[in-house]
Amino acid sequence: MAWVVELNGVDPSDGLAKTKVFSLGAGYAFTDSTFAPTGLVSWRSPSQKVDVSKDGGVTLTADAGQIVISNLPADIGSAGPWDVLRTWAWHGRRANLYYTPDTWANRTLIATGTLQQPVAPLNANGSSVTSTLQFPLRDPRSPLSAPLQPTKYLGNNAAGTGVEGDSDLKNKPKPVLYGVVSNIPGVLVCKEKNVWQLADKSAGVLCAREGGAAFTAGTARGTLASLLSTTPTAGTYDTYAGSEGTFVRLCGTPQYPVTFDAYEGATSADRTHAQIWKRIRTERCDNVAGDITAASVTATDALAANEVGFWKNDETTRLDLINEVLTSLSGYEVLGFDSKWSIAQLVAPSGTTVLDFLTLTPTSTLKTKSRPIAGLTMVRPGFAPEGCPPYRVNVNWGKNYTVMSRADFVGGVAVQAPRLIDKFGLEWRTEKADNTAIWNPATSTGPYPQAPQLTVDTGYQPGADNLTCPHAATEATRLIALYSAMPGQFQLDFIPAVTDRILPGDVVSVTYGQMGLSGGPLFRVLQAGWVLDEKGPQATLVVGFQV
Amino acid sequence: MIKSGVGTPSYATLATWAQVTGAWDSDYPITNLANLRSIRSVAKASGSGVRAFTFILPAAVSLQFLAMLDHNGAAASTVRYRLFSDNNPDPVGNAGAIVHDSGTLSLLPGGANADWPQNHPYVLSAAVTARSCRIDLSSHATAWQIGAFEIAAWWEWTDVETPREFGLNNNDVVAAMPNGITHEMSQWAPRVIKGTRGVVTQTEIHTTALDFQLATGLRNPFVWVWDFNDSTTWPREVVLVHNASLPSPRAVEYPGGRVAFDFEEWLR
């Protein structure tokens, strides 16, 4: 048996992608002829962390990880055996830690991370030699820091031809649309012909407005050329949706702000958080359908089945958009040990535990999934940094992408419905839920007069009446119940077995004599840190949302 | 004359366990018997009644010592060990391969003592070459529970000095509280055993004693038996232990020497 790290890089000598393997302790020749030389000193996983910020949104961060490889030269002044690895290209590639019981083919993936180029602390004082290569590890979400939209406008329109915009649009990203959105400004890509682009892919147009007044839908053109060559009938707008993107042409030059309602996704069932997350992952983040755990999408759809929408027309990253979707869901994503991404909503723990933690005594009986607690610390959750529970959760919904002043409405305020003025005058509409046992703002009573309120920005759209959002209200009620109960949160240390591959989102139980843990309450794993060194594997969990 | 010694070398972790009669709780599978290091990972039967089960080793080895550790047998409980030379521990269809039959043995011949983990040692009169074993347990009123099972050769100790240290490593935590009050929390209290074998041949020092220290080190548990011939000593003085330290054997004057031992009970 052996612990083996596998580093994926590119050898500059021939430009080929290759792997290097190193084992902990003595070099290990597997019975299927794969040899892993000695060299692995330690592995610290870049553990992903699910938390709730003090403002109210679910956050996904990660502690930095590191791989240390021994690079001890034969004597002072000699080259290290692995000096050559400093010249390899590692950045952004995967490193995997395996446990191998016998053959390489039977290895088990224990942990993974994204490599950076190594650093090498050298003790060059001439009297002693210590030399290691240290590879900083980032979590698997780090590639999401790439730009969301690599396709930019050329800015080369001339005399009303084309949809690449004038020079003012040059190198600006084309708009990205997921789900259903309201009052987006679009991007004016052809001023001469009053053509706006709403998305860089085929989408539907629900409405076009000028100064809050809706145009009548005109003709859906079959080609972009047809849209550009034909002026819409007065008072209408024409559309084109195809591989070039989604475009709207107005009948004339507007005097007031132009805005649109649009949707992406064939049906409302395609416009849920999970479905949108899946499409962003597969269309924008270099993933394919096989990289997604379908069951997680189904399970999340069952919890959050309502339509949402997101629109981006500025320079941003994949991470920003994914995080916006996950924050809206109050959810998170994790990369499983099967190298597939899963999505989940943050809910109170329930169901079957993956591990049960307990105090080891001379009379304990350990089940197959029982693990003795090596250390336990009660900590405060992120949403209550001072330990004070929130009394209110605000759920923002129905995002208005173009906030309009009264002067922006065509014909002045008098001819517009007050509802529209209110709706388009604010960025968000809000549903709130209170726990008056924490603090009652109406009566100014309660044990926590300084209790904070949390706010979650969501992509939720109005409900069936097109005016209110009952599911945002439901979400506010759910979240205040989840947070204001101040569920216990603990940091827990234990010695993992090889089979203990825990991820954020897993459910565990903790049984301990103190702090209300004697009954073995359930916890949601929020962070799973993992270290391997000469002492063997050690794990540290952050568990929360005790029930 | 006392029969004192330790089970070594151990083959427990190499054994493959299987149930023959009666099922085992899936949370406490019978495979847990192979793990002496985690004695608290017990094997537990799924219900009351008799149980029969087997182990098979990868190859035949010289065996002389078996021990059922931390079992919950009752005063009337019995066990029977049948060792086979091959990997087919079938006493009916493969009776010819039986190399040792213990007959029916009382699990608690010296009486039950609930203060200590119940360990049942079995030292064969002579080593046999065996690869598999069938174990038959009598009916249990509730459910059989066994912490681990040692399968080993036997290093018999002669000339163990009777004046030895034997007691508890009392790890009680005492915290000083305000106003001079002390607060005690009961913690683990493993048994500690220290002593010396007075007349040991240097050949034994150079071979078995050294091999034993190499194999067990400080972190590998094994079974120490003070006197197999006196079952009244079993409750207190048949203990799963580890080396608390590794005192160097002393070859004082050819051909004799002294071997000290320093054990602490393994409770994990």
Side-chain angles (χ1 to χ4, degrees), chain A residues 31-45:
Chain A
T31 51
D32 58 0
S33 301
T34 302
F35 179 71
T38 184
L40 175 61
V41 176
S42 65
W43 167 292
R44 186 175 72 243
S45 284

PDB file of all heavy atoms in Angstrom, chain A residues 31-45:
ATOM      1  N   THR A  31       2.691  -3.626  -8.386  1.00  0.00           N
ATOM      2  CA  THR A  31       2.808  -4.942  -9.010  1.00  0.00           C
ATOM      3  C   THR A  31       2.433  -4.921 -10.482  1.00  0.00           C
ATOM      4  O   THR A  31       2.642  -5.892 -11.179  1.00  0.00           O
ATOM      5  CB  THR A  31       1.934  -5.955  -8.265  1.00  0.00           C
ATOM      6  OG1 THR A  31       0.618  -5.413  -8.145  1.00  0.00           O
ATOM      7  CG2 THR A  31       2.496  -6.247  -6.907  1.00  0.00           C
ATOM      8  N   ASP A  32       1.863  -3.803 -10.958  1.00  0.00           N
ATOM      9  CA  ASP A  32       1.611  -3.719 -12.392  1.00  0.00           C
ATOM     10  C   ASP A  32       2.675  -2.863 -13.069  1.00  0.00           C
ATOM     11  O   ASP A  32       2.459  -2.262 -14.101  1.00  0.00           O
ATOM     12  CB  ASP A  32       0.207  -3.202 -12.685  1.00  0.00           C
ATOM     13  CG  ASP A  32      -0.022  -1.828 -12.074  1.00  0.00           C
ATOM     14  OD1 ASP A  32       0.904  -1.301 -11.426  1.00  0.00           O
ATOM     15  OD2 ASP A  32      -1.111  -1.277 -12.247  1.00  0.00           O
ATOM     16  N   SER A  33       3.839  -2.784 -12.463  1.00  0.00           N
ATOM     17  CA  SER A  33       5.033  -2.194 -13.080  1.00  0.00           C
ATOM     18  C   SER A  33       5.079  -0.671 -13.066  1.00  0.00           C
ATOM     19  O   SER A  33       5.999  -0.083 -13.616  1.00  0.00           O
ATOM     20  CB  SER A  33       5.210  -2.675 -14.524  1.00  0.00           C
ATOM     21  OG  SER A  33       5.317  -4.069 -14.537  1.00  0.00           O
ATOM     22  N   THR A  34       4.100  -0.009 -12.474  1.00  0.00           N
ATOM     23  CA  THR A  34       4.190   1.443 -12.326  1.00  0.00           C
ATOM     24  C   THR A  34       5.054   1.745 -11.108  1.00  0.00           C
ATOM     25  O   THR A  34       4.807   1.207 -10.036  1.00  0.00           O
ATOM     26  CB  THR A  34       2.805   2.054 -12.140  1.00  0.00           C
ATOM     27  OG1 THR A  34       2.010   1.720 -13.251  1.00  0.00           O
ATOM     28  CG2 THR A  34       2.901   3.566 -12.010  1.00  0.00           C
ATOM     29  N   PHE A  35       6.035   2.583 -11.280  1.00  0.00           N
ATOM     30  CA  PHE A  35       6.932   2.879 -10.171  1.00  0.00           C
ATOM     31  C   PHE A  35       6.765   4.335  -9.742  1.00  0.00           C
ATOM     32  O   PHE A  35       6.826   5.247 -10.565  1.00  0.00           O
ATOM     33  CB  PHE A  35       8.385   2.637 -10.565  1.00  0.00           C
ATOM     34  CG  PHE A  35       9.344   2.944  -9.448  1.00  0.00           C
ATOM     35  CD1 PHE A  35       9.409   2.126  -8.339  1.00  0.00           C
ATOM     36  CD2 PHE A  35      10.153   4.073  -9.489  1.00  0.00           C
ATOM     37  CE1 PHE A  35      10.287   2.408  -7.302  1.00  0.00           C
ATOM     38  CE2 PHE A  35      11.029   4.362  -8.449  1.00  0.00           C
ATOM     39  CZ  PHE A  35      11.091   3.525  -7.362  1.00  0.00           C
ATOM     40  N   ALA A  36       6.526   4.516  -8.483  1.00  0.00           N
ATOM     41  CA  ALA A  36       6.435   5.864  -7.934  1.00  0.00           C
ATOM     42  C   ALA A  36       7.635   6.073  -7.031  1.00  0.00           C
ATOM     43  O   ALA A  36       7.722   5.452  -5.966  1.00  0.00           O
ATOM     44  CB  ALA A  36       5.147   6.035  -7.153  1.00  0.00           C
ATOM     45  N   PRO A  37       8.592   6.904  -7.408  1.00  0.00           N
ATOM     46  CA  PRO A  37       9.762   7.100  -6.558  1.00  0.00           C
ATOM     47  C   PRO A  37       9.384   7.843  -5.289  1.00  0.00           C
ATOM     48  O   PRO A  37       8.355   8.530  -5.230  1.00  0.00           O
ATOM     49  CB  PRO A  37      10.691   7.936  -7.440  1.00  0.00           C
ATOM     50  CG  PRO A  37       9.783   8.660  -8.367  1.00  0.00           C
ATOM     51  CD  PRO A  37       8.636   7.727  -8.626  1.00  0.00           C
ATOM     52  N   THR A  38      10.217   7.723  -4.297  1.00  0.00           N
ATOM     53  CA  THR A  38       9.977   8.476  -3.065  1.00  0.00           C
ATOM     54  C   THR A  38      10.093   9.976  -3.347  1.00  0.00           C
ATOM     55  O   THR A  38      10.721  10.384  -4.315  1.00  0.00           O
ATOM     56  CB  THR A  38      10.999   8.072  -1.995  1.00  0.00           C
ATOM     57  OG1 THR A  38      10.681   8.763  -0.787  1.00  0.00           O
ATOM     58  CG2 THR A  38      12.418   8.447  -2.418  1.00  0.00           C
ATOM     59  N   GLY A  39       9.471  10.772  -2.550  1.00  0.00           N
ATOM     60  CA  GLY A  39       9.584  12.212  -2.767  1.00  0.00           C
ATOM     61  C   GLY A  39       8.453  13.010  -2.154  1.00  0.00           C
ATOM     62  O   GLY A  39       8.627  14.178  -1.814  1.00  0.00           O
ATOM     63  N   LEU A  40       7.272  12.400  -1.994  1.00  0.00           N
ATOM     64  CA  LEU A  40       6.161  13.156  -1.424  1.00  0.00           C
ATOM     65  C   LEU A  40       6.412  13.367   0.066  1.00  0.00           C
ATOM     66  O   LEU A  40       6.546  12.412   0.829  1.00  0.00           O
ATOM     67  CB  LEU A  40       4.846  12.408  -1.645  1.00  0.00           C
ATOM     68  CG  LEU A  40       3.611  13.020  -0.993  1.00  0.00           C
ATOM     69  CD1 LEU A  40       3.341  14.427  -1.537  1.00  0.00           C
ATOM     70  CD2 LEU A  40       2.376  12.134  -1.214  1.00  0.00           C
ATOM     71  N   VAL A  41       6.493  14.609   0.469  1.00  0.00           N
ATOM     72  CA  VAL A  41       6.693  14.940   1.880  1.00  0.00           C
ATOM     73  C   VAL A  41       5.350  15.206   2.554  1.00  0.00           C
ATOM     74  O   VAL A  41       5.067  14.723   3.646  1.00  0.00           O
ATOM     75  CB  VAL A  41       7.605  16.173   2.026  1.00  0.00           C
ATOM     76  CG1 VAL A  41       7.742  16.573   3.486  1.00  0.00           C
ATOM     77  CG2 VAL A  41       8.968  15.871   1.422  1.00  0.00           C
ATOM     78  N   SER A  42       4.511  15.972   1.877  1.00  0.00           N
ATOM     79  CA  SER A  42       3.201  16.249   2.474  1.00  0.00           C
ATOM     80  C   SER A  42       2.235  16.744   1.404  1.00  0.00           C
ATOM     81  O   SER A  42       2.644  17.248   0.350  1.00  0.00           O
ATOM     82  CB  SER A  42       3.315  17.290   3.590  1.00  0.00           C
ATOM     83  OG  SER A  42       3.713  18.536   3.072  1.00  0.00           O
ATOM     84  N   TRP A  43       0.967  16.597   1.697  1.00  0.00           N
ATOM     85  CA  TRP A  43      -0.125  17.095   0.860  1.00  0.00           C
ATOM     86  C   TRP A  43      -1.122  17.790   1.779  1.00  0.00           C
ATOM     87  O   TRP A  43      -1.526  17.222   2.796  1.00  0.00           O
ATOM     88  CB  TRP A  43      -0.813  15.941   0.120  1.00  0.00           C
ATOM     89  CG  TRP A  43      -2.131  16.311  -0.506  1.00  0.00           C
ATOM     90  CD1 TRP A  43      -3.300  16.636   0.138  1.00  0.00           C
ATOM     91  CD2 TRP A  43      -2.425  16.421  -1.898  1.00  0.00           C
ATOM     92  NE1 TRP A  43      -4.277  16.927  -0.762  1.00  0.00           N
ATOM     93  CE2 TRP A  43      -3.777  16.805  -2.025  1.00  0.00           C
ATOM     94  CE3 TRP A  43      -1.674  16.230  -3.055  1.00  0.00           C
ATOM     95  CZ2 TRP A  43      -4.392  16.995  -3.258  1.00  0.00           C
ATOM     96  CZ3 TRP A  43      -2.294  16.406  -4.283  1.00  0.00           C
ATOM     97  CH2 TRP A  43      -3.631  16.785  -4.369  1.00  0.00           C
ATOM     98  N   ARG A  44      -1.467  19.002   1.442  1.00  0.00           N
ATOM     99  CA  ARG A  44      -2.536  19.681   2.166  1.00  0.00           C
ATOM    100  C   ARG A  44      -3.570  20.105   1.142  1.00  0.00           C
ATOM    101  O   ARG A  44      -3.282  20.877   0.224  1.00  0.00           O
ATOM    102  CB  ARG A  44      -2.008  20.908   2.924  1.00  0.00           C
ATOM    103  CG  ARG A  44      -3.071  21.553   3.810  1.00  0.00           C
ATOM    104  CD  ARG A  44      -2.515  22.689   4.652  1.00  0.00           C
ATOM    105  NE  ARG A  44      -2.215  23.853   3.850  1.00  0.00           N
ATOM    106  CZ  ARG A  44      -1.005  24.377   3.684  1.00  0.00           C
ATOM    107  NH1 ARG A  44       0.041  23.821   4.258  1.00  0.00           N
ATOM    108  NH2 ARG A  44      -0.812  25.436   2.928  1.00  0.00           N
ATOM    109  N   SER A  45      -4.773  19.591   1.280  1.00  0.00           N
ATOM    110  CA  SER A  45      -5.810  19.852   0.280  1.00  0.00           C
ATOM    111  C   SER A  45      -6.249  21.307   0.307  1.00  0.00           C
ATOM    112  O   SER A  45      -6.334  21.918   1.377  1.00  0.00           O
ATOM    113  CB  SER A  45      -7.031  18.971   0.540  1.00  0.00           C
ATOM    114  OG  SER A  45      -6.786  17.663   0.132  1.00  0.00           O
TER     115      SER A  45
END
